[in-house]
Amino acid sequence: MSLYARLTGWIVLIFGLLYFFLPLLGLFEFSLKARRGVYSLDAYTKIIGDAEFQATFGYSVVMALVTIAMGVLLVVPTAFWVRLKMPWARPYVEFITLLPLVIPAIVIVFGYIRLYNTSSWLPMTGTTMGTNLLLAFGYTTLALPYMYRAVDTGLRTIDVATLTEAAQSLGAGWITILSRVILPNVLVAVLSGAFLTFAIVIGEFTLAALLDRPAFGPYLQRIGANKPYEPFALSVIAFAITWVCMGLIQLVTRFSKHTKAAR
Amino acid sequence: MAFLEIEHLEKSFGATRVVKDFNLSVEKGEFISLLGPSGCGKTTVLRMVAGFEVPTSGNIRIDGKDVVNLKPNQRNIGMVFQAYALFPNLTVAQNVAFGLKVAGVDRAESDKRVTEMLTLIGLPELGNRYPFQLSGGQQQRVALARALAPRPRVLLLDEPLSALDAKIRVSLREEMRAIQQRLGITTIFVTHDQEEALSMSDRVVVMHQGIADQVGTPLDIYNRPATRFVANFVGTLNVMEADVVDPSTGRVKIGGQEITLGRAVPPGKITLGSRPEMISLGARTGRETALKGTITEVHFLGSVIRGRASVGKDVVSFDMFNDTGRAPPKVGEEVSLSVAGQDLLVIGD
């Protein structure tokens, strides 16, 4: 590679990094200015000590875990079955899983409210549990493109058909095959999907706000509208959570023993 | 009644019939090879026995019980795949124990059986390794141990040696056969490699276009091929068209030269076949029939030199040992080839 090409590459990389990190640095710097004249962690202390922060964050974490469980239960068997028995259906399933990227969350939530309101045939919004469940369904839908792609990519790295037949010849039924052969072998992919789902659920606003659930997204919006420094501290926290999720994906991939052969 | 019986088995994919009226009886402890080229239906037959394909029609009985309607996991059949198919997330010992765990065998018994199996395949110290830490040959041995651990009624081997290099293939096929004989397990082996089929099997089924062309011992298949396809597919065969001069004595004319087969043959035109090792260069005791020809090719194959000579309109291959005291013939040389009339096979369609 010529010196010119190398230099250009470095310049483009540095420009990209500055473009991305400078606003973040500004954001972080401003979040430390709660106390006049000195840098302090006051905004962070206030936020973390806020009972509403703890409640909404805790609620969103629980919702994220429920969403991940629902996503895994829905996506892993579907992607497995499509790959094993219905390869012709793959483009259709991929299209369906991509729909949440083009249909706004507000359309989904209005659809939910119209279908499942208190005067409908299935009044899910009539109870807290029902509404929570509806929110989890909504989150699962929003995370579907990421979860499906992650799992499908994972399935692509193993010989699904032969492993399934090997397990069947050893007496295993579908549940054993899925839980002890397929899932452990796409665990890294599932975890990638799970961390992305976690990041989406933690920051999601529309579904939670319109279903009136005490989630972290609406809390972020409320704080942003009413406080000077805390929203910036919160944004930094939200970024940190997302990065931790990304880091965990890398970590899991690196330390996954049995996938070494495939890579 | 045979231990494994396959009767009138048929399989179609859409309009294509890939297996046609396939029949086979396998005795308990027998080692049978399904031999044939790609697309002949041998793997489909194996997969129907395993339960991975549903027959279009026909019966498969194991120990007198019809298994066609049983799911693969209900048949108690062990299978070894070409691509090993070891579970990457499990260690060698866990792979071998998989079938035992599924069957609910208790831990102590399972551990004992795993040790037994790993000793059987000669890898007792590799129980804690993952599949990716093993060579291809070791992985296939583990796959065999895993298939044998639950003590299946029938063992199916789907081209298990195809992915291995030549030396490993030879040693592993000997090991597999020895293990099969030691355990006395009924085995069906699918291969397209005639050497594997002939060296390992009690009987060989040569398949062609979904049909079992011939079922017989390796010697039968090689020395007495029933059809032109079997004769051509198994080993190298010289095929010569002959005009029958006297059907009662087997006097026929090949390339303008008359030879006697010494047995009655059908009248008219017949097809004769001969293995290269049945034809000698020059005169040889016991091979009194002589054919005149011209050398067209000479190939050095190590211990053997294979020559080709044109005899009339046919080209005949012959083998001679690599003898340092005897120079191989030269291309274009006029030679006399000797063959015993009774060694010439009359090939049917």
Side-chain angles (χ1 to χ4, degrees):
Chain A
M1 201 192 291
S2 71
L3 183 71
Y4 174 76
R6 239 188 300 172
L7 210 64
T8 313
W10 276 108
I11 289 168
V12 170
L13 180 71
I14 290 166
F15 177 77
L17 288 173
L18 287 177
Y19 184 83
F20 183 71
F21 279 109
L22 273 183
L24 279 181
L25 198 67
L27 182 82
F28 180 61
E29 200 254 347
F30 188 76
S31 72
L32 299 175
K33 282 186 168 174
R35 201 179 299 171
R36 191 179 294 265
V38 286
Y39 286 133
S40 73
L41 293 171
D42 285 1
Y44 292 91
T45 320
K46 258 191 209 165
I47 284 290
I48 291 166
D50 183 0
E52 207 185 344
F53 167 82
Q54 291 161 11
T56 55
F57 189 71
Y59 177 84
S60 283
V61 167
V62 171
M63 288 308 290
L65 295 177
V66 172
T67 306
I68 289 166
M70 286 170 92
V72 170
L73 286 175
L74 177 72
V75 169
V76 175
T78 308
F80 167 69
W81 201 252
V82 166
R83 198 154 265 281
L84 188 69
K85 300 275 183 190
M86 300 159 68
W88 54 267
R90 220 167 137 238
Y92 304 106
V93 176
E94 278 195 357
F95 174 75
I96 291 167
T97 59
L98 277 176
L99 284 179
L101 291 181
V102 289
I103 299 173
I106 196 153
V107 173
I108 294 171
V109 76
F110 272 119
Y112 279 173
I113 291 168
R114 183 150 177 79
L115 267 177
Y116 305 116
N117 64 50
T118 44
S119 51
S120 74
W121 61 279
L122 188 60
M124 287 182 78
T125 55
T127 62
T128 306
M129 182 54 90
T131 317
N132 286 340
L133 207 59
L134 211 51
L135 185 60
F137 289 151
Y139 285 158
T140 308
T141 308
L142 290 185
L144 206 56
Y146 310 100
M147 187 58 106
Y148 185 83
R149 244 137 225 88
V151 172
D152 194 45
T153 306
L155 286 173
R156 223 175 283 182
T157 63
I158 58 171
D159 187 347
V160 174
T162 314
L163 289 180
T164 303
E165 287 178 355
Q168 281 181 310
S169 73
L170 292 164
W174 291 116
I175 292 172
T176 309
I177 292 168
L178 268 170
S179 61
R180 293 190 40 206
V181 177
I182 301 301
L183 191 59
N185 282 303
V186 294
L187 199 59
V188 174
V190 168
L191 284 174
S192 301
F195 290 132
L196 286 170
T197 304
F198 188 85
I200 290 166
V201 172
I202 289 295
E204 205 285 329
F205 168 77
T206 316
L207 290 179
L210 289 167
L211 287 173
D212 194 25
R213 299 314 303 142
F216 190 58
Y219 171 73
L220 268 174
Q221 187 274 332
R222 267 199 311 283
I223 290 286
N226 302 314
K227 304 259 170 101
Y229 298 100
E230 286 81 349
F232 297 95
L234 260 180
S235 298
V236 172
I237 291 171
F239 265 114
I241 291 167
T242 311
W243 286 344
V244 166
C245 287
M246 298 300 167
L248 284 174
I249 295 172
Q250 295 300 320
L251 211 65
V252 168
T253 311
R254 188 165 300 176
F255 289 103
S256 172
K257 248 191 207 170
H258 62 267
T259 54
K260 277 180 186 163
R263 279 186 280 130
Chain B
M1 184 189 282
F3 183 69
L4 168 64
E5 280 187 292
I6 301 173
E7 289 176 346
H8 308 297
L9 201 65
E10 297 253 351
K11 178 69 186 175
S12 300
F13 293 108
T16 315
R17 279 171 78 204
V18 290
V19 176
K20 301 164 195 165
D21 197 23
F22 184 87
N23 294 282
L24 182 68
S25 295
V26 186
E27 295 302 327
K28 199 171 169 91
E30 203 176 6
F31 191 113
I32 294 265
S33 288
L34 303 185
L35 174 67
S38 297
C40 71
K42 57 189 188 298
T43 299
T44 309
V45 170
L46 194 84
R47 290 175 61 78
M48 284 192 277
V49 175
F52 300 135
E53 300 288 352
V54 180
T56 306
S57 63
N59 294 313
I60 301 169
R61 276 194 295 274
I62 300 176
D63 208 6
K65 284 181 192 146
D66 193 348
V67 296
V68 166
N69 295 318
L70 292 182
K71 291 174 185 165
N73 58 341
Q74 297 169 330
R75 295 192 184 195
N76 193 15
I77 286 175
M79 186 147 171
V80 177
F81 300 83
Q82 183 182 341
Y84 321 135
L86 293 179
F87 305 130
N89 57 312
L90 303 180
T91 63
V92 165
Q94 287 167 337
N95 262 286
V96 177
F98 186 91
L100 302 169
K101 207 167 176 182
V102 169
V105 173
D106 69 66
R107 185 67 191 265
E109 173 63 22
S110 169
D111 288 348
K112 193 176 140 220
R113 198 94 64 87
V114 169
T115 310
E116 218 173 86
M117 285 298 131
L118 290 179
T119 309
L120 185 74
I121 58 161
L123 302 172
E125 72 289 359
L126 299 186
N128 291 324
R129 296 239 184 123
Y130 280 91
F132 77 87
Q133 295 170 312
L134 305 178
S135 68
Q138 287 172 330
Q139 287 192 53
Q140 202 55 295
R141 280 192 187 93
V142 175
L144 179 66
R146 182 182 66 175
L148 291 171
R151 294 189 179 139
R153 294 185 295 176
V154 177
L155 177 66
L156 306 177
L157 307 170
D158 186 8
E159 306 210 27
L161 307 172
S162 302
L164 304 171
D165 61 57
K167 267 198 170 173
I168 304 280
R169 209 152 58 207
V170 172
S171 68
L172 193 53
R173 81 181 181 211
E174 286 163 5
E175 271 179 55
M176 279 182 157
R177 176 61 164 150
I179 289 170
Q180 184 271 334
Q181 283 178 321
R182 202 178 315 161
L183 300 179
I185 185 166
T186 311
T187 304
I188 301 181
F189 176 69
V190 160
T191 183
H192 59 262
D193 185 322
Q194 46 175 295
E195 199 180 304
E196 280 172 12
L198 297 178
S199 65
M200 293 172 81
S201 322
D202 293 315
R203 281 190 300 150
V204 177
V205 180
V206 184
M207 289 190 68
H208 176 48
Q209 294 181 338
I211 293 168
D213 251 24
Q214 188 175 357
V215 183
T217 63
L219 272 174
D220 267 345
I221 296 284
Y222 190 80
N223 291 335
R224 285 175 286 281
T227 66
R228 182 185 285 247
F229 172 78
V230 175
N232 271 316
F233 187 75
V234 182
T236 304
L237 191 84
N238 294 304
V239 178
M240 297 166 278
E241 300 302 329
D243 293 311
V244 177
V245 178
D246 180 2
S248 60
T249 58
R251 189 119 192 108
V252 299
K253 197 182 256 187
I254 305 170
Q257 303 169 62
E258 281 195 15
I259 60 169
T260 306
L261 305 183
R263 60 187 186 279
V265 292
K269 278 188 181 294
I270 58 170
T271 306
L272 296 175
S274 167
R275 301 287 181 199
E277 64 270 23
M278 300 292 182
I279 299 176
S280 315
L281 185 66
R284 188 167 152 191
T285 315
R287 293 181 178 177
E288 275 74 26
T289 305
L291 295 168
K292 299 280 177 211
T294 308
I295 299 290
T296 55
E297 286 172 55
V298 178
H299 298 285
F300 177 64
L301 305 174
S303 60
V304 166
I305 293 168
R306 174 158 295 174
R308 304 188 105 210
S310 59
V311 176
K313 281 186 285 180
D314 299 308
V315 175
V316 173
S317 295
F318 61 93
D319 284 348
M320 54 187 284
F321 283 115
N322 177 19
D323 181 353
T324 48
R326 188 182 176 198
K330 291 192 170 61
V331 173
E333 195 178 326
E334 297 288 325
V335 293
S336 172
L337 302 169
S338 55
V339 61
Q342 68 266 23
D343 286 343
L344 289 171
L345 309 163
V346 178
I347 301 169
D349 292 327

